[in-house]
């Protein structure tokens, strides 16, 4: 597994010692950049050194605007959270992104279906963001490997397996409950509401991945 592009990831990118998280939306200029950078920001808050733990965070779009900057409103939302929006360029989702991902988190069920349809045994490691949050909340952290003992990569892999096992048993209250709406072209107020939604969904996920609660 190769190291991520400069500015895109967190971690070492070394085979067997990394866990790659891929966020997917449509254009890779709004939702998935916000989610990628908020994830990186949350990991840095918890771990101090962003290269600790072997967690790599990336994003791409099913109709990705290759080489495009993120939307200005998306960058403004990240600034609200103190997260870094610099150096981002959009990517179209490719087979190699799915093949190398240990966890794929999508904005909607349609995105999830598109990722799974690409093959590469992606079904058991692909969830919508809100679906994964819902499943993670139901997992007893005590059943996961201790990151300080067995490493964060092993803990993260165990979390994905546990979430996949729960999926058929813990259903969403509604189809819309697992979706993050597209703010593309919307005013900054809507972007901010989507940013809050994404940040709220990410908090228990990052806590479960790292075993480290959010700092107060």
């Amino acid at each position: 597994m190769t190291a991520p592009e400069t500015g895109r990831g967190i971690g070492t990118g070394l085979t067997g010692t990394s866990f790659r998280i891929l966020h997917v939306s449509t254009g890779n200029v709004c939702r998935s950049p916000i989610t990628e950078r908020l994830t990186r920001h949350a990991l840095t808050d918890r771990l101090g050194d962003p290269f600790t733990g072997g967690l790599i965070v990336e994003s791409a779009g099913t109709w990705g605007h290759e080489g495009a900057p993120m939307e200005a409103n998306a960058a403004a939302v990240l600034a609200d959270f103190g997260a870094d929006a610099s150096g981002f360029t959009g990517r179209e989702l490719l087979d190699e992104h799915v093949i190398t991902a240990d966890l794929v988190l999508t904005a909607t069920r349609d995105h999830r279906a598109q990722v799974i349809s690409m093959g590469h045994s992606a079904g058991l490691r692909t969830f919508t963001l809100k679906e994964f949050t819902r499943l993670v909340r139901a997992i007893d952290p005590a059943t996961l490997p201790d990151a300080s003992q067995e490493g964060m990569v092993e803990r993260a892999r165990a979390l994905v397996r546990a979430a996949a096992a729960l999926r058929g048993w813990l259903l969403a209250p509604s189809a819309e409950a697992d979706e993050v709406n597209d703010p593309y072209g919307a005013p900054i107020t809507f972007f901010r509401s989507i940013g809050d939604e994404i940040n709220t969904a990410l908090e228990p996920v990052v806590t479960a991945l790292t075993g480290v609660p959010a700092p107060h």
Side-chain angles (χ1 to χ4, degrees):
M1 191 178 293
T2 58
E5 299 170 43
T6 302
R8 292 206 66 90
I10 287 177
T12 60
L14 300 176
T15 302
T17 62
S18 64
F19 182 91
R20 191 177 294 259
I21 303 166
L22 176 68
H23 293 295
V24 175
S25 63
T26 303
N28 194 214
V29 292
C30 296
R31 287 168 291 181
S32 50
I34 290 172
T35 315
E36 173 194 319
R37 294 308 175 92
L38 285 181
T39 304
R40 293 174 61 174
H41 183 65
L43 288 170
T44 301
D45 274 355
R46 285 164 172 76
L47 304 177
D49 181 351
F51 291 95
T52 299
L55 302 180
I56 301 169
V57 186
E58 301 178 305
S59 64
T62 55
W63 290 86
H65 300 182
E66 189 72 33
M70 74 173 75
E71 283 287 296
N73 282 347
V77 166
L78 290 173
D80 290 343
F81 287 100
D84 183 12
S86 66
F88 182 88
T89 53
R91 302 193 302 178
E92 182 178 354
L93 181 66
L94 302 176
D95 286 293
E96 66 191 67
H97 302 144
V98 177
I99 290 168
T100 58
D102 296 286
L103 171 62
V104 184
L105 297 175
T106 70
T108 69
R109 291 169 297 143
D110 281 347
H111 296 132
R112 182 185 65 194
Q114 289 179 68
V115 171
I116 293 172
S117 74
M118 295 172 74
H120 316 303
S121 304
L124 291 177
R125 49 196 168 90
T126 304
F127 310 79
T128 77
L129 170 62
K130 287 187 168 182
E131 174 192 21
F132 195 66
T133 301
R134 176 165 46 79
L135 297 170
V136 161
R137 287 184 186 276
I139 296 168
D140 181 354
T143 64
L144 299 172
D146 185 335
S148 66
Q149 302 284 326
E150 299 181 54
M152 210 161 292
V153 169
E154 286 308 310
R155 181 184 178 91
R157 288 173 179 161
L159 182 68
V160 173
R161 290 193 298 269
L166 275 178
R167 179 153 44 189
W169 300 94
L170 191 64
L171 303 179
S174 68
E176 294 72 26
D178 282 346
E179 307 260 308
V180 175
N181 291 324
D182 191 355
Y184 185 77
I188 185 63
T189 50
F190 188 67
F191 266 84
R192 287 195 168 114
S193 71
I194 293 299
D196 288 340
E197 201 174 310
I198 290 170
N199 191 62
T200 298
L202 280 174
E203 195 282 327
V205 170
V206 176
T207 297
L209 283 168
T210 62
V212 180
H216 296 293

